[in-house]
Amino acid sequence: DQVTAVGDPAHRGAAAEVAAIALAHRGQLARSTELHRWSPSSTSSAFAVIGQVGTGRLPAAALPVAPPTMLDGGASLMAQGVVESVTSSATTSLSTLVRAAGLLEPAGRAVLLPDTPAALAALVALHSGEPGVAESVLDRAVATSLGGTLMAVRHRLLRGWIAMQRGNLAQARETVVALRKVGRPLEPRDWLFAVALEIGIARRNSDLATLKRTWEQACEAVLRHPVDLFAFLPLGEFATAAARLRDQHRLAPHLTAARNLLRDLGDPCLWAVPLHWSALHAAIIAEETSVAEEHAASLAACRDRSRYAGIVSVAAESWLDVLAGKVDADQVEDAARGLHAVGQWWDAARLAGQAAIRTSDRQAMVRLLDCARLLQGRGAGAARKQPEPVVEADAGKLSDREREVAELVVGGLTYKQVGDRLFISAKTVEHHMARIRQRLGCGSRAELLDQLRQIVG
């Protein structure tokens, strides 16, 4: 700041660029953009465009012609790719960002960047259902040390995010643990993703204790990082967790800011779809059917814009049908397999599991549970050993009381604690769990808990 304000005029532009890059890592993208626009360098002009789009403003003028260097060429392609993510197709944007990453790979750790083209490409890929592309470009960035130590954390966090979406929660957890072992404080932008990753793992594991313990960090992380386009993934995860913890009001202003940002950019479907998908699930958890229907309608409006939007829209409609008690096994399986195809393996398995527990058709229930196992990466029926015969006509459903018991047991409470909470005996809780196990045809307690996490998680 001192050099920028009163230092040697020959050094002020470079000082402004360094400060702008530092501010981007601290989550202050708007302020970073102002400094980049003030700096006379061509790379700063390109980085300013990225910041403008990230804060909800499309650039009014074309990028200036940059010198034919690797850095200037890479920065220019980064800016072009980010603009294309709003104005063109995901495929076009991804192609441009991947080319930018390839151009900067030889520079490796020697280049100082506000973000790497690999990280931006991974974000676009995750927002468009292309986790394989995200994985590949991140692996290359790690191998070439693109962006140096400063960017290594971001690349690892995004790899962890892919693992979480695929339901590989152990691998995702390893990412969080490894970052803790380093013992170095994370920059606010990376901390936002790290906390969201921890929140997401806890929610998918139905680990209510960790979810509650981490929630205060999540609220602080959001406060320290103003909403921008590149933080929508963690914001969506926080929205779902807030609904689970009945604390939506603390996140409401940030979600409003995200919606306003999207509106200012013309509601680009690539960035809007994952946020609507998360908001749909938050509304389902909060039992706000009309709000869930609004988000499903927003997804339907994007259906013809991309393959990913179409798949997510179909899955949203399937979720609402299942919750209304209308379980079409063919429709659910198609929707779940679609989600699996775009990398959302955990969501896919959970949709199939929820449908299984809500149908009264025994054959459909077994089929959907097998589908859920396959989408989790487990063999159909592999863990189910000689299920006991089910005598109830509505064997595929849980009663309201059984759902209450299941939710508390999955949340980690003992039978006695569940009994105390519901004012019933521990023995009665045990009987409820035995009946649930019989209905699901589970051969072990571990399998039972696994299925219940899909159903009530």
Side-chain angles (χ1 to χ4, degrees):
D1 275 356
Q2 187 174 3
V3 176
T4 303
V6 296
D8 185 340
H11 298 154
R12 286 181 184 175
E17 187 169 3
V18 171
I21 289 171
L23 285 167
H25 285 274
R26 296 193 173 184
Q28 303 294 330
L29 194 58
R31 177 62 178 154
S32 170
T33 301
E34 290 177 13
L35 280 167
H36 275 308
R37 294 182 69 184
W38 187 85
S39 173
S41 81
S42 53
T43 52
S44 267
S45 296
F47 294 151
V49 169
I50 297 170
Q52 282 181 277
V53 176
T55 52
R57 295 168 293 158
L58 281 173
L63 278 171
V65 177
T69 65
M70 283 193 303
L71 178 57
D72 283 302
S76 180
L77 284 174
M78 287 169 65
Q80 179 185 333
V82 168
V83 171
E84 288 169 346
S85 74
V86 174
T87 61
S88 188
S89 68
T91 302
T92 302
S93 173
L94 266 177
S95 176
T96 303
L97 290 169
V98 169
R99 282 191 288 128
L103 192 59
L104 289 179
E105 279 175 4
R109 65 176 68 251
V111 61
L112 181 64
L113 299 168
D115 214 335
T116 63
L120 291 172
L123 283 177
V124 170
L126 286 170
H127 278 78
S128 55
E130 297 285 356
V133 175
E135 197 171 35
S136 174
V137 74
L138 288 170
D139 285 348
R140 287 185 63 87
V142 170
T144 59
S145 299
L146 183 58
T149 305
L150 191 59
M151 290 304 306
V153 173
R154 186 158 174 80
H155 295 151
R156 290 168 65 185
L157 284 167
L158 288 169
R159 285 291 276 111
W161 200 277
I162 296 169
M164 180 179 71
Q165 283 195 337
R166 287 175 171 169
N168 191 342
L169 303 184
Q171 182 181 336
R173 182 68 182 164
E174 286 174 8
T175 301
V176 177
V177 172
L179 289 175
R180 281 182 179 169
K181 285 182 177 178
V182 173
R184 187 168 54 242
L186 299 179
E187 294 294 342
R189 183 177 63 178
D190 292 334
W191 188 45
L192 183 78
F193 271 83
V195 175
L197 194 56
E198 194 161 4
I199 285 279
I201 295 166
R203 182 174 68 84
R204 287 163 176 79
N205 274 329
S206 296
D207 184 353
L208 195 57
T210 299
L211 197 63
K212 289 179 177 177
R213 186 174 64 250
T214 313
W215 180 239
E216 290 303 318
Q217 292 183 51
C219 293
E220 182 182 349
V222 171
L223 287 174
R224 289 180 177 274
H225 192 294
V227 172
D228 65 49
L229 197 65
F230 312 125
F232 275 15
L233 287 180
L235 189 62
E237 194 59 53
F238 291 152
T240 312
R244 183 70 186 272
L245 297 172
R246 301 294 188 262
D247 199 14
Q248 298 97 315
H249 72 282
R250 295 175 71 179
L251 206 64
H254 308 287
L255 292 171
T256 299
R259 287 192 290 271
N260 291 339
L261 193 158
L262 284 171
R263 184 196 60 221
D264 292 342
L265 291 173
D267 288 314
C269 285
L270 186 147
W271 297 100
V273 166
L275 197 62
H276 283 302
W277 176 251
S278 296
L280 169 85
H281 285 282
I284 289 171
I285 292 169
E287 298 180 349
E288 297 173 341
T289 304
S290 61
V291 177
E293 289 172 348
E294 289 175 8
H295 289 293
S298 296
L299 290 169
C302 292
R303 180 175 294 182
D304 297 330
R305 300 287 295 276
S306 72
R307 170 176 171 265
Y308 177 64
I311 287 172
V312 172
S313 175
V314 168
E317 291 177 357
S318 185
W319 262 108
L320 294 180
D321 285 344
V322 166
L323 293 173
K326 297 181 289 185
V327 179
D328 181 325
D330 289 335
Q331 180 193 57
V332 170
E333 189 167 348
D334 286 345
R337 291 186 182 280
L339 287 174
H340 189 272
V342 294
Q344 295 179 211
W345 300 359
W346 187 87
D347 283 340
R350 186 163 181 263
L351 172 57
Q354 280 280 346
I357 204 63
R358 291 172 185 270
T359 181
S360 58
D361 183 333
R362 169 67 177 173
Q363 187 175 3
M365 181 190 74
V366 173
R367 172 185 165 188
L368 289 169
L369 284 175
D370 281 344
C371 176
R373 292 187 179 95
L374 283 170
L375 297 181
Q376 280 183 309
R378 299 168 54 192
R384 192 176 62 249
K385 300 177 182 178
Q386 298 181 346
E388 299 176 33
V390 180
V391 297
E392 292 87 358
D394 62 340
K397 296 183 178 179
L398 296 184
S399 68
D400 290 342
R401 174 61 88 186
E402 286 169 341
R403 288 186 69 82
E404 284 182 311
V405 169
E407 287 179 355
L408 294 172
V409 170
V410 166
L413 273 64
T414 65
Y415 288 175
K416 184 179 185 307
Q417 290 170 328
V418 173
D420 291 342
R421 182 79 62 88
L422 300 179
F423 303 102
I424 57 180
S425 70
K427 195 69 176 176
T428 301
V429 174
E430 185 179 350
H431 286 316
H432 279 306
M433 291 299 290
R435 286 171 61 82
I436 294 170
R437 178 171 170 175
Q438 179 183 8
R439 291 186 181 196
L440 298 183
C442 297
S444 67
R445 176 177 171 80
E447 184 188 358
L448 173 61
L449 292 176
D450 184 45
Q451 292 300 326
L452 289 179
R453 287 189 184 101
Q454 298 175 39
I455 293 164
V456 302

